[in-house]
Amino acid sequence: MPQALHLKLQLLLATLVPYLVLIQPNHPAAMTWGALWVFPLELPVMIAALVLTGSGVAGQFLRAFLTVTITAIAVLKLADFGTFIAFNRGFNLLVDINLLSAAWVLAQGSFGFLLSAVALAAAIAAVALVASALWWATGVWTRAAPARSSRFAAGVLLVPALALAVAEIAEARRMVSLPDVVSEMIPGAAFTARVGLERVEQIRDTRADLAAFRELARNDPMDGVAPLFDRLGTRDLIIVYVESYGRSSFENPLYIPTHTETLRGIETDLRARGLAMRSTWTTAPMVGGQSWLAHGSVASGLWLDNQGRYRALLASPRRTLFHYAQQAGLRTVAIKPAHIFPWPEGAFFGFDAIYNAPDLGYEGDPFNWVTMPDQFTLHALHRLERQRPQGEPGRTPLVAQVALVSSHAPWVPIPPVIAWDEIGDGQIFNQWANSGDPPEVVWRDHDYVRDQFRLAVDYSLQTMGAWAARHADDPPLIVMLGDHEPARFVSGVDGFDVPLHVIGPPDLVDRFAPLGWTEGMIPDPDLPSVRMDALRDLLLRSLSTGPSRTEDRTIQQKRRDAADDSNTSSAIR
């Protein structure tokens, strides 16, 4: 091959490599063929700078800077892509690093160690390949034009190319408003540079938010209020989170018939047994995952929409719902079947006892990532903490937090609800633990995933209804709510609302009537939603004689006006 042609092919490939990396979208909606034709305005700036600096020391430093920076931003774009799919928001470098370990645990539980390890190795290799390709491409351009005239031309080109990229960034970020005729003439977008700039600003803003949050955590409106929980009398308060149970059960036609029919059946059965029910909506701080942020928001009365706030809460003197229950002389427990390892953070929340998966006594097989069926979890709660009747002399009333997991992804397999007396140590569930298609088959088809989700949530609802009916003769007060919606491609709805149901003795459920909540298990779709960070104080005020309802400023201040996903940092191109 002639040397001139070889050089031209090298330059063409050295242009194509950064072109493809720079145009990489960070959002599923932008992953279209049209993205290939959005010219990256950073590319001429990059090439001109490389030619200008040449192959000397300055050129080598520039190559290293460009390779590391562009590769890092490409990885952040991939992280954005994943968190947009899972959580409907961008990746926050300062507070979301923990998601990597959580994703690894979920992948192992769903697809096995071997497939997960292969996928991880492939991802690392892909990043290394991109970095190597960028290093080679930048080297080609530093060696491309040793002549002084070529460097002068590159310097001349650099100024307008840089000005054009800066103008596009400023307009895209609404820092300036260019005339329409000028805006339409801009031949592309400096999207990668924008993502990098936004990450720097995101770190700054997140630090400021955490500082403000720490101050908020120190100011507790319930501090010094007493008596608390005295309206419960001798009855237990059981707060149950149904995994991935959201408003989609009431708005998505794929789920409405199944889930609402189950809820109406539960309502009819429980009403016949003398129980009362009221339902409403509550707004979760996230979608798709990180259930602990919902649990923490309810417990602390603070809005935990990212891991940074959660960690700041753990370092604060904030008192949770369970601290106030302890203050009232009640026993507090947490039932955590998803926790296969110790939960050191649990010490902060004020639990007298924490039952992780190994503590619940399950001897059966896991259901992929799901450690045990919800029915066993609820059965274990009764066996471990509720065998003695409420009101029996010497029995301390209970305030429990239960996090169910059967409706957690991957939503396969799904057992039936069996007779409670047959549960034993859980080995009876083995006959269903490996039934049906495995996750790697189900997750090839989004329609199949949605149908499995429908069945999984329905199982959890049926289980809760059956457990409430089983204890209707000596009923606790049950607060049953979703923790968050599943990923958007599964839920099919916008927003962050999840249902909340109060089930129990009529005199206690009536304490929530002044709030306007709907009687029964189907909340009125027009009810205003209460944010999860308002629920701690709402429960304390509704179940206590200490604070009056007229003093309840917290609930009024935290009424939902809109679900604001402030963490979505990069707009879709």
Side-chain angles (χ1 to χ4, degrees):
M1 180 184 297
Q3 185 174 359
L5 179 59
H6 182 264
L7 178 59
K8 289 179 181 178
L9 289 176
Q10 270 198 329
L11 291 175
L12 178 62
L13 188 57
T15 303
L16 184 61
V17 167
Y19 181 97
L20 292 175
V21 177
L22 290 170
I23 65 171
Q24 173 199 351
N26 74 328
H27 194 289
M31 188 64 74
T32 65
W33 290 112
L36 288 171
W37 312 115
V38 180
F39 183 78
L41 297 178
E42 305 96 336
L43 185 59
V45 177
M46 171 181 162
I47 291 175
L50 288 167
V51 172
L52 182 63
T53 54
S55 58
V57 175
Q60 298 308 305
F61 273 113
L62 181 59
R63 288 179 66 197
F65 172 78
L66 290 173
T67 298
V68 171
T69 302
I70 296 174
T71 302
I73 295 176
V75 171
L76 287 174
K77 286 182 183 179
L78 285 175
D80 277 348
F81 199 91
T83 54
F84 272 122
I85 290 175
F87 309 126
N88 199 44
R89 62 172 178 81
F91 183 82
N92 188 317
L93 186 61
L94 199 61
V95 299
D96 284 338
I97 292 297
N98 71 294
L99 293 179
L100 299 178
S101 60
W104 172 249
V105 171
L106 178 59
Q108 284 191 90
S110 300
F111 305 108
F113 174 80
L114 182 60
L115 282 177
S116 301
V118 169
L120 178 61
I124 294 173
V127 173
L129 180 62
V130 168
S132 299
L134 286 171
W135 177 255
W136 172 83
T138 54
V140 169
W141 277 107
T142 57
R143 298 186 299 269
R148 182 174 298 179
S149 59
S150 298
R151 294 186 180 180
F152 177 78
V156 172
L157 173 64
L158 181 61
V159 176
L162 183 60
L164 190 63
V166 170
E168 193 279 334
I169 293 171
E171 184 181 48
R173 292 170 53 77
R174 296 180 175 83
M175 298 168 65
V176 298
S177 180
L178 299 176
D180 290 343
V181 64
V182 176
S183 180
E184 291 171 2
M185 290 176 62
I186 296 178
F191 182 66
T192 296
R194 269 194 275 137
V195 171
L197 178 61
E198 287 166 0
R199 284 303 182 277
V200 173
E201 293 183 343
Q202 184 186 65
I203 291 173
R204 178 200 65 195
D205 294 344
T206 301
R207 289 184 181 278
D209 175 71
L210 293 178
F213 177 83
R214 293 185 186 99
E215 181 62 29
L216 186 65
R218 286 192 286 268
N219 298 309
D220 191 338
M222 299 304 297
D223 190 30
V225 175
L228 296 173
F229 285 118
D230 54 316
R231 293 189 187 277
L232 276 176
T234 59
R235 289 161 293 195
D236 296 339
L237 170 63
I238 313 295
I239 302 171
V240 182
Y241 292 93
V242 178
E243 172 67 38
S244 300
Y245 174 43
R247 195 160 187 149
S248 55
S249 292
F250 302 82
E251 293 187 353
N252 190 322
L254 295 174
Y255 313 134
I256 292 172
T258 303
H259 297 167
T260 57
E261 180 181 351
T262 295
L263 290 168
R264 288 191 176 95
I266 292 171
E267 179 180 331
T268 300
D269 182 33
L270 297 184
R271 183 169 284 124
R273 296 172 186 271
L275 299 184
M277 293 143 280
R278 285 190 177 270
S279 300
T280 190
W281 307 105
T282 182
T283 304
M286 73 295 172
V287 299
Q290 296 183 280
S291 302
W292 57 90
L293 300 182
H295 305 165
S297 293
V298 173
S300 68
L302 295 169
W303 189 246
L304 307 180
D305 58 350
N306 62 64
Q307 186 66 14
R309 281 189 161 218
Y310 184 82
R311 289 199 297 262
L313 170 68
L314 298 180
S316 77
R318 186 75 171 191
R319 304 186 73 199
T320 71
L321 181 74
F322 305 100
H323 289 121
Y324 286 116
Q326 288 177 328
Q327 175 184 311
L330 309 181
R331 177 170 169 79
T332 58
V333 303
I335 307 293
K336 297 289 189 178
H339 291 181
I340 58 176
F341 301 114
W343 183 40
E345 298 94 335
F348 165 83
F349 286 95
F351 294 114
D352 293 314
I354 297 173
Y355 297 96
N356 295 315
D359 307 314
L360 295 174
Y362 182 67
E363 298 295 335
D365 296 333
F367 285 58
N368 290 304
W369 183 89
V370 174
T371 55
M372 65 194 71
D374 288 347
Q375 191 175 9
F376 186 90
T377 298
L378 292 170
H379 187 64
L381 166 66
H382 181 75
R383 170 171 47 83
L384 294 167
E385 291 287 346
R386 300 195 71 250
Q387 289 202 54
R388 296 173 63 188
Q390 297 176 122
E392 182 180 282
R395 182 191 188 276
T396 302
L398 186 70
V399 176
Q401 174 184 290
V402 183
L404 301 181
V405 292
S406 286
S407 50
H408 192 290
W411 304 306
V412 288
I414 304 163
V417 178
I418 65 175
W420 293 92
D421 294 337
E422 296 178 359
I423 291 176
D425 64 2
Q427 293 190 58
I428 191 173
F429 293 108
N430 289 355
Q431 58 191 300
W432 299 289
N434 296 295
S435 62
D437 288 329
E440 56 267 29
V441 173
V442 173
W443 281 71
R444 294 172 190 164
D445 182 347
H446 282 184
D447 288 335
Y448 199 170
V449 172
R450 295 181 188 107
D451 195 53
Q452 288 298 128
F453 166 78
R454 174 183 66 86
L455 296 173
V457 171
D458 194 56
Y459 165 76
S460 294
L461 296 178
Q462 289 183 40
T463 301
M464 273 304 305
W467 188 79
R470 180 173 174 81
H471 299 286
D473 292 339
D474 185 25
L477 179 66
I478 301 170
V479 176
M480 165 187 162
L481 68 161
D483 53 2
H484 54 74
E485 285 278 18
R488 294 298 194 206
F489 83 92
V490 179
S491 73
V493 301
D494 295 324
F496 294 74
D497 288 353
V498 299
L500 182 151
H501 313 283
V502 180
I503 305 167
D507 64 306
L508 288 181
V509 175
D510 284 348
R511 294 295 307 162
F512 300 89
L515 299 171
W517 294 0
T518 308
E519 287 192 72
M521 295 294 289
I522 308 294
D524 186 328
D526 296 326
L527 274 179
S529 182
V530 181
R531 291 200 339 175
M532 281 189 173
D533 56 336
L535 292 180
R536 184 201 69 163
D537 295 2
L538 185 152
L539 290 171
L540 288 172
R541 296 180 187 280
S542 296
L543 300 174
S544 311
T545 58
S548 67
R549 201 171 299 276
T550 57
E551 295 172 346
D552 196 356
R553 297 170 298 174
T554 306
I555 296 171
Q556 296 300 323
Q557 291 172 353
K558 292 180 177 177
R559 282 286 189 188
R560 171 180 174 262
D561 53 2
D564 177 23
D565 183 10
S566 61
N567 288 322
T568 302
S569 62
S570 299
I572 303 173
R573 287 187 287 177

